Amino acid sequence: MSASGGTKAIMAALVANLSIAVAKFVAAFFTGSSSMLAEGIHSVADSGNQVLLLVGGKRAARASTKEHPFGYGRERYFYAFVVAVVLFAIGALFSLYEGYHKLSHAEPLTSPAWAFGVLIFAIIAEIFSFRTAIREANLVRGRQGWIAFIRRSKSPELPVILLEDLGALLGLVFALFGVTMAVVTGNPVWDAVGTLMIGVLLAVISVVLAVETKSLLVGEGASPEVEEQVRRALESAPEVDRIIHMRTLHLGPEELLVGAKIAVSHDETAGEVARGIDEAEQRIREAVPIARVIYLEPDLDRSRTPTP
């Protein structure tokens, strides 16, 4: 995923969430709805998360240093993991607490028209934000299904925004359900039920995000498709007899480390081996531009070395 595509989706979500958060808090003030209050906190958490993603992208772009010779690309993974923690700590836990509190101290809603108006506005705004995220994701996900894209993407921003926007839309539906049932039945407990549903939803999304970003943070290799491209490029180099073994590691979403031990002919000179390695590296970079760091170790193909 290009950084620009992720930034566009983040900015669309940030603008939508800030405007929605203000509207939700106004509605919560006039109606006393716990669902609206939970949704307001949800939007604030989402807005903070989008700021964190922008900060992560900015910090990841810093040049490498002696202390960090491979750069700061993984900062994007770290901040995406923080997003999952924030979503759980602020969004899910607050919603669950507020829902429990309202169940224990149910109060009737006042001026429910405010809630309905804000919820409809918020749903429309979130649809536009979600559509932007889907459009940006479609540019890079290829033939992958949505679940596969979220699980296999090496760039954390779009999966995070997709799940956040989906969660926001579902949360609004839950809030609308809770408020509607509270108005129709005259029982404010339904508002608390909607709040609890929002809390459970946010907890599930935060756990999914935490699991996926943790894997990226620990370190993931290239996708099978990219690894095969690297392998083909390496094997096409004239001085490479075969690949003895190869490893890849994402240093960041657009930075790949490639390390391989390659077999060379036993009768080649050191100069020929060096030129062969240069040629192999060039072919890898042409095939996979994100392969920024390449280490190739030449070795004799002992399975073919003639015995004296």
Side-chain angles (χ1 to χ4, degrees):
M1 182 196 79
S2 66
S4 60
T7 301
K8 186 182 296 184
I10 293 170
M11 291 304 300
L14 179 59
V15 171
N17 279 314
L18 286 175
S19 59
I20 290 170
V22 173
K24 287 175 179 176
F25 283 128
V26 171
F29 175 79
F30 282 105
T31 64
S33 168
S34 63
S35 293
M36 294 305 303
L37 181 59
E39 272 299 296
I41 296 297
H42 179 186
S43 293
V44 169
D46 282 352
S47 299
N49 289 341
Q50 278 117 41
V51 172
L52 286 172
L53 291 176
L54 291 172
V55 171
K58 183 72 173 178
R59 292 181 63 83
R62 290 178 295 167
S64 60
T65 64
K66 287 185 177 181
E67 289 185 341
H68 298 89
F70 292 116
Y72 294 85
R74 288 193 182 181
E75 291 252 18
R76 288 167 66 180
Y77 300 150
F78 169 75
Y79 279 92
F81 185 79
V82 173
V83 163
V85 175
V86 169
L87 190 63
F88 181 80
I90 296 180
L93 293 184
F94 178 84
S95 297
L96 291 172
Y97 167 78
E98 184 65 18
Y100 172 78
H101 177 74
K102 283 293 183 179
L103 279 177
S104 306
H105 306 84
E107 298 177 1
L109 300 182
T110 58
S111 304
W114 275 95
F116 289 122
V118 167
L119 286 171
I120 292 172
F121 161 74
I123 288 173
I124 294 172
E126 284 292 354
I127 287 174
F128 278 103
S129 174
F130 195 32
R131 188 179 66 174
T132 300
I134 290 174
R135 185 170 59 245
E136 295 300 322
N138 281 334
L139 296 176
V140 294
R141 73 183 179 96
R143 297 182 179 180
Q144 297 181 89
W146 287 107
I147 294 178
F149 172 70
I150 289 171
R151 297 201 62 186
R152 296 178 61 186
S153 176
K154 306 303 180 183
S155 299
E157 290 86 359
L158 274 180
V160 168
I161 295 299
L162 283 167
L163 287 176
E164 280 193 347
D165 283 352
L166 177 61
L169 277 173
L170 291 176
L172 289 167
V173 171
F174 293 162
L176 185 60
F177 168 78
V179 172
T180 301
M181 292 299 296
V183 171
V184 171
T185 64
N187 186 352
V189 168
W190 283 106
D191 185 40
V193 170
T195 307
L196 290 172
M197 292 170 67
I198 293 169
V200 172
L201 170 69
L202 295 179
V204 170
I205 291 176
S206 64
V207 169
V208 172
L209 286 176
V211 169
E212 295 304 322
T213 54
K214 170 183 171 291
S215 179
L216 290 169
L217 194 58
V218 170
E220 287 188 0
S223 66
E225 296 82 5
V226 171
E227 194 162 288
E228 181 59 28
Q229 288 178 307
V230 173
R231 188 176 296 277
R232 286 200 303 266
L234 192 51
E235 289 175 338
S236 70
E239 305 299 331
V240 177
D241 287 350
R242 69 183 181 92
I243 300 172
I244 299 173
H245 61 72
M246 184 179 77
R247 300 289 186 272
T248 61
L249 178 68
H250 268 274
L251 303 174
E254 285 92 33
E255 295 176 88
L256 184 67
L257 181 149
V258 177
K261 177 177 281 192
I262 56 175
V264 297
S265 176
H266 70 283
D267 56 0
E268 288 181 349
T269 66
E272 290 172 335
V273 171
R275 286 191 294 272
I277 289 176
D278 291 341
E279 173 69 17
E281 290 181 356
Q282 180 62 29
R283 294 192 179 207
I284 292 173
R285 290 192 172 94
E286 289 175 354
V288 183
I290 66 170
R292 307 283 179 83
V293 182
I294 302 174
Y295 295 113
L296 300 180
E297 178 186 352
D299 199 355
L300 294 178
D301 191 347
R302 303 185 191 283
S303 63
R304 301 179 185 178
T305 302
T307 56

